[in-house]
Amino acid sequence: IHMRHILLAIVFIIFNLISVYSQCVISITGAQSVCAGNSITLTANVDRGTPVCNTTLSMNNGNTTVQCGQMVCFFDDGGEGAYYTNSANYTHTFTSSNGGPLTIVFDDARLQASGDSLLLYDGNIATGTLLNAGQEAGVDFAFQTYVATSGVLTVRFVSDASWNYLGWSASI
């Protein structure tokens, strides 16, 4: 493998990373060329910056198809920067357009410790696997990442009638 092949791969990686986040730094550590049987180490540091959203969605009862290469910015039912509502009861299902895995990354998430819950399923609620078992309520989800390998991510949010908090900001 010649250095130009490696550089082409890096350009591809940079293009894909820049399309999702605002700043990327990629460096190569190793020789100027790599021969068959040898390896090279690639190190990528990604500054999360502000996600570039193709779609913005507040929690609701519904379904969304996530197109490959497109990012959905996902917020609680109060929307970005606002408190979620009391007595909320929502289920939203995200489906990958190509059947590939879906990843949800929380930039911030704060729920009332008792009475409010956020449940994340790999698949649908009836047959899917709960991804955040033991972390449904009262957990700071900031910078937590969950992957729905089935290509279907179901999010269920329930809040009680008393206190509410700032909720969440996530990207899918």
Side-chain angles (χ1 to χ4, degrees):
I1 300 175
H2 294 290
M3 193 62 164
R4 66 185 155 113
H5 292 119
I6 295 169
L7 291 175
L8 286 173
I10 291 171
V11 167
F12 177 76
I13 291 169
I14 290 172
F15 177 77
N16 285 321
L17 289 173
I18 289 174
S19 70
V20 176
Y21 295 104
S22 59
Q23 297 179 9
C24 301
V25 176
I26 297 180
S27 61
I28 297 177
T29 305
Q32 293 297 314
S33 64
V34 179
C35 300
N38 292 339
S39 63
I40 189 167
T41 302
L42 296 178
T43 303
N45 296 314
V46 179
D47 175 5
R48 290 182 54 82
T50 302
V52 177
C53 303
N54 300 100
T55 303
T56 300
L57 177 71
S58 293
M59 184 66 182
N60 61 60
N61 288 316
N63 300 289
T64 299
T65 299
V66 180
Q67 300 298 321
C68 182
Q70 303 292 303
M71 180 179 289
V72 176
C73 289
F74 182 49
F75 304 99
D76 59 81
D77 66 332
E80 185 174 9
Y83 283 69
Y84 57 80
T85 60
N86 288 325
S87 303
N89 187 353
Y90 297 110
T91 301
H92 199 96
T93 301
F94 297 90
T95 305
S96 170
S97 65
N98 65 1
L102 288 175
T103 301
I104 184 168
V105 179
F106 288 92
D107 297 313
D108 194 17
R110 294 167 199 217
L111 304 177
Q112 179 187 1
S114 62
D116 299 345
S117 61
L118 183 64
L119 305 164
L120 307 171
Y121 292 89
D122 183 356
N124 63 44
I125 290 176
T127 60
T129 302
L130 183 62
L131 295 172
N132 62 325
Q135 297 180 323
E136 301 90 8
V139 173
D140 183 355
F141 285 89
F143 306 112
Q144 296 295 314
T145 301
Y146 301 93
V147 179
T149 57
S150 69
V152 176
L153 171 68
T154 301
V155 180
R156 177 153 169 74
F157 175 61
V158 178
S159 65
D160 63 16
S162 62
W163 301 98
N164 55 5
Y165 284 75
L166 279 174
W168 70 86
S169 166
S171 54
I172 301 172

